[in-house]
Amino acid sequence: MERRSFLKQTAAGAAALVTASGAALAADEAAKAVTADLPTISWRLTSSFPKSLDTIFGASDVLAAALDKITGGKFTIKVFAAGEIVPGLQVLDAIQNGTVEAGHTASYYYFGKNPALAFDCAVPFGLTSRQQTAWMLHGNGMKLMRELFAEYNVVNFMGGNTGVQMGGWFNKEINTVKDLEGLKFRVGGFAGRVLSKLGVVPQQLPGGEIYPALEKGTIDAAEWVGPYDDEKLGFAKIVKNYYTPGWWEAGPQLSFYVNKEQWEKLPDAYKAAWEAACQLAHNDMQAKYDANNPQALANLLQGDVKLRQFSDEIMEACFKATLETYDEESKANPKFKKIYDDWKVFRNNQAQWFSVAEQSYAKFAFAKKL
């Protein structure tokens, strides 16, 4: 009986493998059949990130590969790193003007155009990665951001998330608010405006320019993402004080942009393929960072890097300055206020819920080792 059962299971397993292989082949053939009468389209996508940062830059490669497979090779994307077509901080302009069809970037880079754009990425003391995705997909986030991006001839899509970021690398200890005065700090988006209230001199630089700025002493401190990227960028060779948390980026979402006219020209099947590929890339980025950050942090701490936490004094001062900034911008900018009012309700509701289950679990369980 046992031999007969084993033979049956083996035969079933082999059949399953054949079926799976056949299903994959059938899926490829089906994709080609579905798109057979559709046009062949090739787009260029410009990224804000260097190729050396395989996770954040790599989201565009994930998108391109998925799109190629879904459409049977009929809709393809060629990805360009920051600087190959336009500088990393000019992606929005390139899409708006039709220089390229698509881009991958962080929307808070364009804070100077309208601070409200930062809600598409991250704002201080804001949403975590999961909460940001929830607001975009099941709150009013996507609707509100699409309305705003339409003014720039852009259709936006979720394009990844890093999770809560680190607070950055500093050439000295930062213990009090006074220690922030005059500090030249590479920090992007909304955070720079908040920190300027506390005496910080914010600098906005693309990822590839941070190391030389630290090395030359042009800046005193810098934040990027977290251990996995920070290790690759080599910050620990220059500065040793590594701070947490990055309160200005609790769940910074990256975004894919598409030129509005180009989007409207796409057949519906290609639009659906693009959206599916974006979602895959979005999910994949967060998973990669979560998988790679623990070992990268351990590597950094094996040297003489000191892991430090911002003091309560600094956190309270930053929170107070954040509320003041939100209030000032809401009074001056109706577009900001419209999004902020909706976002704030969603954020506070999420905070209440997460404090019930997530936070109480993490506080106990993550202090233990199995």
Side-chain angles (χ1 to χ4, degrees):
M1 288 293 291
E2 289 182 2
R3 181 175 180 276
R4 189 177 306 145
S5 176
F6 172 76
L7 289 173
K8 285 183 178 179
Q9 290 175 13
T10 302
L17 288 174
V18 172
T19 301
S21 176
L25 180 61
D28 287 341
E29 292 302 318
K32 291 177 181 178
V34 168
T35 60
D37 296 328
L38 293 173
T40 298
I41 294 176
S42 179
W43 278 4
R44 296 189 301 168
L45 182 152
T46 184
S47 173
S48 284
F49 312 107
K51 291 180 180 178
S52 59
L53 299 179
D54 60 301
T55 301
I56 198 165
F57 174 84
S60 296
D61 289 334
V62 172
L63 166 74
L67 195 61
D68 179 79
K69 189 172 184 64
I70 294 170
T71 64
K74 296 292 291 290
F75 186 5
T76 59
I77 302 291
K78 187 172 183 181
V79 179
F80 295 86
E84 291 183 337
I85 297 179
V86 297
L89 302 183
Q90 294 181 19
V91 170
L92 177 56
D93 294 327
I95 311 307
Q96 181 178 6
N97 299 330
T99 303
V100 291
E101 294 85 0
H104 186 232
T105 190
S107 295
Y108 65 13
Y109 288 162
Y110 313 105
F111 178 84
K113 293 180 181 293
N114 190 329
L117 290 167
F119 286 107
D120 190 57
C121 183
V123 293
F125 296 100
L127 300 168
T128 65
S129 174
R130 282 171 53 194
Q131 293 165 353
Q132 177 75 11
T133 296
W135 182 60
M136 293 295 288
L137 293 181
H138 295 286
N140 292 319
M142 187 63 80
K143 173 180 176 292
L144 290 167
M145 297 316 304
R146 286 271 171 91
E147 289 175 359
L148 183 59
F149 274 105
E151 298 178 16
Y152 300 91
N153 199 33
V154 165
V155 183
N156 61 298
F157 302 85
M158 296 188 303
N161 204 303
T162 69
V164 182
Q165 295 194 1
M166 292 294 286
W169 298 83
F170 294 76
N171 63 6
K172 65 176 184 178
E173 286 190 50
I174 305 295
N175 297 313
T176 68
V177 173
K178 188 172 179 58
D179 293 330
L180 295 172
E181 293 179 7
L183 190 80
K184 292 175 289 184
F185 185 21
R186 184 277 170 196
V187 62
F190 215 115
R193 182 166 161 190
V194 171
L195 285 165
S196 66
K197 287 179 171 287
L198 304 178
V200 170
V201 182
Q203 312 286 317
Q204 182 152 291
L205 299 170
E209 297 179 18
I210 299 174
Y211 184 94
L214 281 171
E215 188 175 38
K216 294 174 184 176
T218 307
I219 56 176
D220 304 309
E223 60 81 36
W224 178 244
V225 172
Y228 184 66
D229 280 359
D230 291 358
E231 183 184 23
K232 284 178 174 291
L233 291 171
F235 299 151
K237 298 175 184 177
I238 306 171
V239 286
K240 306 300 180 180
N241 298 293
Y242 197 23
Y243 274 84
T244 187
W247 48 264
W248 50 88
E249 292 178 288
Q253 175 185 283
L254 289 303
S255 294
F256 291 113
Y257 295 167
V258 176
N259 175 273
K260 190 170 182 291
E261 284 83 8
Q262 293 296 328
W263 176 253
E264 291 173 349
K265 290 179 185 177
L266 285 180
D268 288 344
Y270 285 178
K271 288 180 179 178
W274 174 273
E275 290 175 334
C278 283
Q279 190 64 51
L280 176 63
H282 179 75
N283 296 342
D284 185 70
M285 182 190 293
Q286 179 70 83
K288 282 182 180 176
Y289 274 122
D290 284 343
N292 291 325
N293 276 328
Q295 185 58 55
L297 179 61
N299 295 342
L300 291 168
L301 296 180
Q302 283 178 357
D304 52 357
V305 169
K306 302 297 183 185
L307 186 61
R308 304 187 188 279
Q309 189 165 337
F310 289 126
S311 66
D312 288 346
E313 176 190 333
I314 289 175
M315 293 294 286
E316 289 291 350
C318 290
F319 187 72
K320 180 175 181 290
T322 294
L323 294 182
E324 291 172 357
T325 306
Y326 285 150
D327 184 59
E328 291 164 1
E329 191 61 33
S330 292
K331 289 177 180 176
N333 184 346
K335 293 174 184 176
F336 180 93
K337 185 178 187 305
K338 179 180 179 180
I339 298 175
Y340 175 62
D341 286 349
D342 178 89
W343 174 92
K344 179 171 66 174
V345 172
F346 192 92
R347 183 265 186 203
N348 289 341
N349 285 339
Q350 288 290 301
Q352 184 178 28
W353 158 234
F354 270 64
S355 69
V356 172
E358 299 280 342
Q359 188 172 322
S360 58
Y361 170 78
K363 185 177 180 180
F364 177 84
F366 293 170
K368 308 290 184 183
K369 285 189 177 180
L370 299 178

